[in-house]
Coordinates of all heavy atoms in Angstrom, one line a residue:
A118 N 54.5 51.7 83.7 CA 55.5 51.7 82.7 C 56.8 51.2 83.2 O 57.9 51.8 82.9 CB 55.6 53.2 82.1
G119 N 56.8 50.2 84.0 CA 58.0 49.5 84.5 C 58.6 50.2 85.7 O 59.7 49.7 86.2
R120 N 58.0 51.2 86.3 CA 58.5 51.8 87.5 C 57.4 51.8 88.6 O 56.2 51.9 88.2 CB 58.9 53.3 87.2 CG 60.0 53.4 86.2 CD 60.5 54.9 86.1 NE 59.4 55.8 85.7 CZ 59.1 56.0 84.4 NH1 59.8 55.4 83.4 NH2 58.1 56.9 84.1
T121 N 57.8 51.7 89.8 CA 56.8 51.7 90.9 C 56.5 53.1 91.3 O 57.4 53.9 91.6 CB 57.3 50.9 92.1 OG1 57.5 49.5 91.7 CG2 56.3 51.0 93.2
V122 N 55.2 53.5 91.3 CA 54.8 54.8 91.6 C 53.9 54.7 92.9 O 53.1 53.8 93.0 CB 54.0 55.4 90.5 CG1 53.4 56.8 90.8 CG2 54.8 55.4 89.2
V123 N 54.1 55.7 93.8 CA 53.3 55.8 95.0 C 52.5 57.2 94.9 O 53.2 58.2 94.6 CB 54.1 55.8 96.3 CG1 53.2 56.1 97.5 CG2 54.7 54.4 96.4
V124 N 51.2 57.2 95.1 CA 50.4 58.4 95.1 C 49.7 58.5 96.5 O 49.1 57.5 96.9 CB 49.4 58.4 94.0 CG1 48.5 59.6 94.0 CG2 50.0 58.2 92.6
I125 N 49.8 59.7 97.1 CA 49.2 59.9 98.4 C 48.2 61.0 98.2 O 48.5 62.1 97.7 CB 50.3 60.3 99.4 CG1 51.3 59.2 99.6 CG2 49.6 60.6 100.8 CD1 52.4 59.5 100.5
T126 N 47.0 60.8 98.7 CA 45.9 61.8 98.7 C 45.8 62.5 100.0 O 45.8 61.8 101.1 CB 44.6 61.2 98.3 OG1 44.6 60.6 97.0 CG2 43.5 62.2 98.3
H127 N 45.9 63.8 100.0 CA 45.9 64.6 101.2 C 44.5 65.3 101.5 O 43.7 65.4 100.6 CB 47.0 65.7 101.2 CG 48.3 65.1 100.8 ND1 49.1 64.4 101.7 CD2 49.0 65.0 99.6 CE1 50.2 63.9 101.1 NE2 50.2 64.3 99.9
A128 N 44.3 65.8 102.7 CA 43.0 66.3 103.1 C 42.7 67.6 102.4 O 41.5 67.9 102.3 CB 43.1 66.6 104.6
D129 N 43.6 68.3 101.7 CA 43.3 69.5 101.0 C 42.9 69.2 99.5 O 42.8 70.1 98.7 CB 44.4 70.5 101.1 CG 45.7 69.9 100.6 OD1 45.7 68.7 100.2 OD2 46.8 70.6 100.6
G130 N 42.8 67.9 99.2 CA 42.5 67.5 97.8 C 43.7 67.4 96.9 O 43.5 67.0 95.7

Side-chain angles (χ1 to χ4, degrees):
R120 300 185 299 271
T121 297
V122 179
V123 172
V124 180
I125 301 175
T126 300
H127 307 284
D129 57 1

